Amino acid sequence: MTPKRPRSNAVWLADLVGDETSAETLADLREYLLRAVFLYLDRHREDLADLDRRELEQLAEDFTQDALLQVLGALHTFRGESKFTTWAYRFVINVAAGELRLHRWRTLSIEALTGEHELSRSTLLLDYEAPDPEVTAARQRALDAIREIIRDELADRQRFALLNIHFQDMPVEEVARLLDSSPNAIYKLLHDARKKVKQGLQHRHYSETDLLGIFRD
Amino acid sequence: MDRTSFSKWIEQIFATQEREPDCNLFMQILPQYVDLQVSGHDANLHLDEIEAHLRQCVRCSDLYLALYEAALTEVQDEAQPIEILSMEKVERTRTA
């Protein structure tokens, strides 16, 4: 395998930008991305533990190919505030993480795709009953308050995003696709939803300490 | 959702700030933050924004951990003789 030599940001850009991209630099960039995503697949993805080395390498190759195109298309956005390679790694890790999240979600469940969940207490918390009936009653009141806020105070898209992402583990990418939106816009949607839930709870005189105490064993 | 996850959700709700960096802003400042961490320099730059976002976004939290490891491995490899800068070293580490 061709040894790589560390490059400065300026050298990376000079070799990659313009009509005559350096083949050697492109190959080295590909190798950097390949190693970064292989590390990610190998060390951060327990769900891939059954794959052998060849299969992991093949996955890494596929993700690298997609990410390389993204990196080259985004060179003009690199502001030089970090190492070029660190900046580039986020593309390949993003590609891999996004694809794997979607694959895992589609394999596990299609139930949440409709978003037609009945918002019951057990949707929020599976086991809320306590040996002490008064504690159970307090938990029911708190869960009902949360249900009321989610049902009545969130906009439809906020409710859909919050329930599916927080309570059904649906990937942000999938919610974005279903809502014809982007992951970043979904983050903003969720942020607004969280603010409303927080304000709703405070309005009903529930503090974080109160709620954590109510649901502690 | 089980009790532990629900308690974390409550904490997440109450950790919500009026203004939080979104994923796009986080992505912009993350590589610089990671490089500062890996190089042992003061990473307090952007710390509040980074932490506020990491508390709320699982997607970006995963990215941060993976990016940190990739950047750290690169720095460690560059301190080694150049002939081991290859996938073979990754494989040796993996099978060790």
Side-chain angles (χ1 to χ4, degrees):
Chain A
M1 198 165 292
T2 308
K4 289 188 291 295
R5 58 187 171 86
R7 293 171 171 82
S8 68
N9 288 348
V11 171
W12 276 112
L13 287 180
D15 287 353
L16 292 172
V17 175
D19 295 335
E20 294 189 16
T21 302
S22 157
E24 181 191 347
T25 305
L26 202 56
D28 281 356
L29 174 59
R30 189 178 174 287
E31 179 70 11
Y32 273 104
L33 297 180
L34 188 60
R35 291 198 319 148
V37 76
F38 187 87
L39 272 177
Y40 171 67
L41 299 176
D42 187 42
R43 297 186 183 172
H44 292 262
R45 301 297 308 209
E46 291 178 5
D47 54 326
L48 303 180
D50 291 341
L51 299 188
D52 61 26
R53 185 197 175 194
R54 185 61 238 154
E55 290 169 318
L56 280 183
E57 284 181 350
Q58 186 56 55
L59 262 185
E61 294 267 1
D62 292 345
F63 294 142
T64 297
Q65 196 57 36
D66 290 348
L68 192 57
L69 295 174
Q70 289 188 13
V71 170
L72 295 176
L75 286 174
H76 64 284
T77 67
F78 177 58
R79 299 190 299 196
E81 293 169 342
S82 66
K83 287 174 71 172
F84 176 78
T85 46
T86 309
W87 174 81
Y89 290 153
R90 72 191 173 119
F91 287 90
V92 76
I93 295 167
N94 251 342
V95 166
E99 288 292 324
L100 291 171
R101 266 193 300 269
L102 285 177
H103 176 76
R104 177 172 172 273
W105 166 255
R106 286 169 181 161
T107 304
L108 284 179
S109 169
I110 58 168
E111 179 187 340
L113 288 177
T114 61
E116 297 292 333
H117 313 292
E118 182 193 351
L119 185 50
S120 64
R121 290 171 186 151
S122 60
T123 303
L124 302 176
L125 178 61
L126 281 173
D127 175 21
Y128 57 83
E129 295 199 3
D132 183 341
E134 285 189 17
V135 174
T136 300
R139 288 178 179 176
Q140 287 175 339
R141 284 194 296 275
L143 289 171
D144 287 346
I146 295 170
R147 288 167 63 206
E148 186 179 273
I149 295 164
I150 293 174
R151 188 186 63 222
D152 298 341
E153 298 179 22
L154 301 191
D156 290 346
R157 289 166 69 87
Q158 291 170 344
R159 186 183 316 109
F160 181 88
L162 185 125
L163 287 178
N164 281 302
I165 292 171
H166 287 183
F167 293 96
Q168 301 292 329
D169 289 332
M170 187 187 283
V172 170
E173 291 88 346
E174 186 68 6
V175 173
R177 189 183 69 80
L178 292 169
L179 293 181
D180 194 20
S181 184
S182 69
N184 193 56
I186 297 301
Y187 183 87
K188 291 176 180 173
L189 199 65
L190 270 182
H191 179 221
D192 290 338
R194 284 189 277 108
K195 281 196 295 188
K196 284 187 179 177
V197 174
K198 180 180 178 180
Q199 288 161 2
L201 288 169
Q202 289 171 332
H203 182 71
R204 289 163 176 79
H205 307 293
Y206 280 111
S207 69
E208 179 180 6
T209 308
D210 293 337
L211 287 168
L212 292 177
I214 289 171
F215 289 98
R216 191 172 293 126
D217 282 325
Chain B
M1 188 178 272
D2 62 25
R3 193 89 54 78
T4 303
S5 300
F6 186 74
S7 294
K8 285 183 181 169
W9 183 76
I10 293 292
E11 290 170 354
Q12 185 183 8
I13 291 295
F14 280 93
T16 301
Q17 298 177 11
E18 193 57 33
R19 296 184 61 149
E20 292 174 3
D22 60 26
C23 299
N24 286 351
L25 178 58
F26 178 84
M27 296 283 182
Q28 281 178 19
I29 59 183
L30 182 63
Q32 184 184 15
Y33 178 76
V34 166
D35 280 348
L36 287 170
Q37 277 196 318
V38 166
S39 65
H41 289 94
D42 182 6
N44 284 335
L45 183 68
H46 302 312
L47 188 62
D48 289 344
E49 292 99 319
I50 292 278
E51 289 192 344
H53 192 81
L54 286 176
R55 274 196 296 270
Q56 300 292 352
C57 188
V58 174
R59 183 171 165 267
C60 290
S61 183
D62 289 347
L63 173 69
Y64 160 69
L65 293 174
L67 194 59
Y68 177 83
E69 178 156 23
L72 182 65
T73 302
E74 182 187 324
V75 167
Q76 289 170 341
D77 280 353
E78 285 177 357
Q80 301 290 322
I82 200 161
E83 59 270 18
I84 65 168
L85 285 174
S86 66
M87 283 289 288
E88 280 75 12
K89 178 166 185 285
V90 175
E91 175 58 17
R92 282 202 297 275
T93 306
R94 179 174 175 248
T95 55

